[in-house]
């Protein structure tokens, strides 16, 4: 496995991230298509008379469309990731390989939001520093705070 390829500039491991889950997005697209073919919106209108939750079907369908938009085109090191990423821009502007080469990642404003969702990020940055890009990932901890 090419761990360097899947190690984002911020120190996250791309394969652990929800937006990299192609299976999720294929199922999302399949569900959208199925709902459209069945004209489920019409069915939901009828069902809403007996079950008010079905009145929220348009919101559900919009959410399904938004979930589809989360899909990542690939690792950020290969042009994927967010279209605008301040972390990637910062790392590249400093001619670094990633945040693990920065002297004070714990104080970084760019990482502040990520640290709320990814509680082991600072540990991962240290792992990358110690073990290197090709070896750190086998020792990584859970990706998200709810795992």
């Amino acid at each position: 496995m090419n761990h360097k390829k899947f190690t984002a500039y911020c120190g996250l491991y791309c394969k652990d991230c929800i937006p990299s889950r192609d299976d999720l997005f294929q199922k999302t697209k399949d569900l959208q298509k199925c709902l459209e073919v069945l004209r489920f919106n019409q069915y939901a209108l009828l069902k809403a008379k007996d079950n008010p939750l079905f009145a929220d079907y348009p919101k559900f369908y919009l959410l399904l469309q938004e979930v589809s938009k989360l899909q990542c085109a690939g690792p950020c090191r290969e042009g994927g990731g967010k279209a605008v990423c301040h972390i990637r821009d910062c790392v590249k502007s400093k001619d670094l390989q990633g945040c693990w080469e920065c002297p004070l990642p714990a104080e970084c404003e760019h990482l502040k939001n990520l640290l709320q969702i990814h509680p082991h990020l600072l540990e991962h940055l240290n792992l990358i520093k110690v073990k290197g890009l090709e070896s750190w990932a086998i020792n990584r901890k859970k990706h998200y705070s709810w795992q």
Side-chain angles (χ1 to χ4, degrees), residues 1-8 13 77-78 97 100 124-125 127-140:
M1 168 90 39
N2 186 347
H3 295 299
K4 179 178 180 179
K5 170 182 173 178
F6 295 112
T7 301
Y13 194 70
R77 291 187 176 280
E78 295 188 342
Q97 288 188 54
W100 54 90
H124 288 173
L125 292 174
L127 265 175
I128 298 166
K129 192 184 296 187
V130 171
K131 302 247 182 211
L133 276 173
E134 286 299 333
S135 302
W136 82 276
I138 59 172
N139 296 302
R140 70 189 185 278

Side-chain angles (χ1 to χ4, degrees), residues 18-74:
I18 288 173
S20 74
R21 295 288 309 262
D22 292 336
D23 61 329
L24 169 68
F25 297 103
Q26 185 58 55
K27 289 173 183 169
T28 304
K29 290 173 190 168
D30 291 346
L31 178 57
Q32 285 176 313
K33 185 173 181 160
C34 182
L35 292 169
E36 290 167 7
V37 167
L38 294 172
R39 296 178 61 191
F40 197 88
N41 60 328
Q42 297 297 312
Y43 184 70
L45 284 173
L46 295 172
K47 293 298 286 180
K49 293 174 186 172
D50 296 325
N51 185 338
L53 285 175
F54 281 95
D56 290 333
Y57 175 78
K59 288 181 184 177
F60 165 76
Y61 193 80
L62 285 174
L63 180 60
L64 198 57
Q65 290 176 316
E66 288 303 309
V67 168
S68 294
K69 293 177 186 176
L70 295 174
Q71 187 172 18
C72 186

Side-chain angles (χ1 to χ4, degrees), residues 74-124:
C76 65
R77 291 187 176 280
E78 295 188 342
K82 295 171 135 183
V84 175
C85 178
H86 299 295
I87 296 170
R88 179 178 56 225
D89 295 343
C90 177
V91 166
K92 286 184 169 188
S93 74
K94 294 177 179 178
D95 200 30
L96 304 174
Q97 288 188 54
C99 294
W100 54 90
E101 292 183 342
C102 184
L104 299 169
E107 298 173 22
C108 178
E109 284 298 313
H110 299 304
L111 292 178
K112 187 184 287 186
N113 289 335
L114 283 181
L115 288 167
Q116 293 175 21
I117 300 169
H118 307 285
H120 302 292
L121 182 58
L122 293 176
E123 291 172 76
H124 288 173

